[in-house]
């Protein structure tokens, strides 16, 4: 079955000029391969400039999702996270080609990317929606900042322990003293939350995890809640603290700030070849036996 992907965007590791230069040949091969199939190819403008890709239409990251039917991201998980946040309003599926280290989200290998892309173009793929977080910082009853996250929202002290008060659906859960708190989607449970001792959740689960970072009380353990929950965290005491979105965007916090986290109305869809298996991926990436 031939798919309806008539226009495709290619985004490389767009904020890293040296990385784009290293993957220039792979990006050019991919763009030429798609163009030869009479597909309209768009290149993200930084990718086009630093990888020296000419002869294709270009657009900014913020606008490119509205112009195409599919986005192919070449880079690592960090690039995919940034692209997902930027394109959340466009409802365009993403395919990831791994040029990073782990590749939990960018699962296609460069060595056989053209074969795998052809399979996806022929309709031989799995479409997997991934839930995202919507978080906002409220200070003095005013929304100071709002953003999305595909992996996690992290409240963290840069110096000493931070004291936080946590409520879920307006029900008091606890006050905790720790280095911080990770609120994670199922996608993000293989990232920072995993390093902090949190559980791995299958991406299809409708749940979020709350994982303390080095809690002062050892009985303070990670918990999972339904993704319909509203999580509210109040900053009670700290020396210095920040809120981060996927570890890529930070907001400085003050005592009394409330961080309200819910499930985003939109989802991001990842496309995988039809033989993709989440457990195979975990076994390979985490070196399980």
């Amino acid at each position: 079955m031939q798919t309806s992907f008539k226009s495709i965007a290619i985004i490389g590791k767009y904020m890293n000029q040296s990385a784009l230069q290293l993957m220039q040949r792979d990006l050019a091969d991919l763009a030429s391969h798609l163009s030869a199939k009479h597909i309209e190819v768009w290149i993200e403008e930084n990718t086009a400039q630093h990888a020296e890709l000419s002869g294709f239409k270009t657009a900014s990251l913020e606008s490119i999702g509205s112009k195409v039917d599919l986005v192919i991201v070449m880079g690592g998980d960090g690039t995919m996270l940034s692209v997902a946040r930027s394109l959340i309003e466009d409802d365009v599926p993403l395919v990831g080609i791994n040029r990073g280290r782990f590749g939990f989200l960018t699962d296609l290998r460069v060595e056989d990317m053209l074969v795998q892309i052809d399979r996806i173009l022929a309709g031989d793929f799995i479409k997997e929606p991934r839930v995202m977080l919507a978080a906002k910082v409220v200070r003095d009853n005013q929304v100071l900042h709002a953003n999305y996250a595909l992996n996690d929202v992290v409240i963290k002290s840069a110096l000493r322990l931070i004291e936080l008060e946590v409520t879920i659906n307006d029900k008091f859960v606890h006050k905790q003293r720790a280095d911080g708190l990770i609120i994670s989607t199922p996608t993000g449970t293989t990232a920072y939350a995993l390093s902090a001792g949190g559980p791995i959740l299958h991406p299809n689960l409708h749940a979020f995890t709350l994982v303390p970072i080095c809690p002062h009380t050892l009985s303070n353990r990670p918990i999972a809640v339904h993704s319909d929950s509203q999580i509210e965290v109040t900053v009670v005491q700290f020396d210095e603290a920040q809120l981060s979105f996927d570890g890529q965007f930070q907001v400085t916090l003050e005592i009394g700030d409330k961080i309200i986290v819910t499930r985003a109305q939109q989802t991001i869809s990842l496309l995988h070849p039809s033989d993709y298996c989440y457990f195979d991926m975990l076994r390979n990436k985490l070196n399980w036996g």
Side-chain angles (χ1 to χ4, degrees):
M1 177 186 69
Q2 191 69 26
T3 66
S4 57
F5 299 135
K6 305 299 183 184
S7 57
I8 296 177
I10 298 174
I11 303 174
K13 197 170 183 178
Y14 62 95
M15 294 301 291
N16 190 319
Q17 181 175 350
S18 59
L20 286 171
Q21 290 171 344
L22 288 174
M23 63 178 72
Q24 191 275 340
R25 174 47 54 193
D26 296 324
L27 289 165
D29 288 347
L30 176 60
S32 297
H33 183 77
L34 295 174
S35 183
K37 293 179 175 294
H38 306 291
I39 293 171
E40 182 181 60
V41 177
W42 288 77
I43 311 291
E44 185 275 328
E45 58 187 10
N46 285 336
T47 303
Q49 177 183 352
H50 298 309
E52 299 180 357
L53 300 175
S54 59
F56 302 98
K57 296 181 178 180
T58 63
S60 67
L61 176 64
E62 292 72 24
S63 66
I64 202 168
S66 64
K67 303 178 184 300
V68 298
D69 308 312
L70 176 69
V71 172
I72 301 176
V73 179
M74 186 180 296
D77 288 341
T79 306
M80 184 69 94
L81 292 170
S82 180
V83 170
R85 290 198 311 278
S86 298
L87 303 187
I88 187 173
E89 303 288 351
D90 294 314
D91 192 28
V92 59
L94 308 180
V95 173
I97 299 173
N98 187 25
R99 283 297 301 264
R101 285 172 288 183
F102 286 108
F104 286 103
L105 297 172
T106 51
D107 53 292
L108 271 61
R109 302 188 313 159
V110 172
E111 293 80 5
D112 54 6
M113 66 175 180
L114 300 184
V115 173
Q116 298 287 21
I117 290 296
D118 282 349
R119 291 180 58 188
I120 290 173
L121 295 178
D124 186 19
F125 63 81
I126 299 168
K127 185 176 183 180
E128 183 182 45
R130 296 287 182 102
V131 67
M132 296 186 69
L133 297 170
K136 59 185 178 182
V137 180
V138 177
R139 180 180 298 166
D140 298 327
N141 296 319
Q142 299 292 323
V143 176
L144 177 69
H145 183 83
N147 209 333
Y148 298 104
L150 176 55
N151 262 0
D152 50 41
V153 170
V154 179
I155 306 160
K156 190 174 181 181
S157 173
L159 298 174
R160 301 179 183 177
L161 294 177
I162 182 172
E163 185 172 343
L164 303 171
E165 180 177 300
V166 180
T167 65
I168 298 175
N169 296 330
D170 296 322
K171 304 295 184 182
F172 175 72
V173 178
H174 58 46
K175 283 187 178 181
Q176 71 164 46
R177 297 183 74 229
D179 283 355
L181 178 67
I182 304 167
I183 302 172
S184 173
T185 66
T187 299
T189 58
T190 54
Y192 192 7
L194 181 63
S195 299
I200 296 175
L201 300 186
H202 191 281
N204 292 344
L205 290 177
H206 299 286
F208 298 143
T209 62
L210 286 77
V211 181
I213 306 169
C214 300
H216 188 259
T217 302
L218 296 180
S219 60
N220 192 339
R221 309 305 301 165
I223 61 173
V225 299
H226 197 280
S227 60
D228 285 341
S229 303
Q230 176 175 292
I231 302 164
E232 183 174 310
V233 183
T234 303
V235 179
V236 177
Q237 186 176 359
F238 69 93
D239 287 322
E240 181 179 328
Q242 293 179 326
L243 173 70
S244 66
F245 298 84
D246 290 333
Q248 298 177 336
F249 188 91
Q250 295 182 335
V251 178
T252 301
L253 298 173
E254 295 182 359
I255 291 175
D257 284 353
K258 295 183 183 296
I259 298 91
I260 301 173
V261 182
T262 58
R263 180 177 62 187
Q265 293 183 352
Q266 309 90 331
T267 60
I268 282 290
S269 294
L270 305 182
L271 302 190
H272 309 285
S274 59
D275 57 357
Y276 169 83
C277 174
Y278 180 72
F279 300 109
D280 287 346
M281 183 276 295
L282 286 182
R283 189 168 57 252
N284 292 330
K285 303 298 182 182
L286 300 177
N287 295 316
W288 290 350

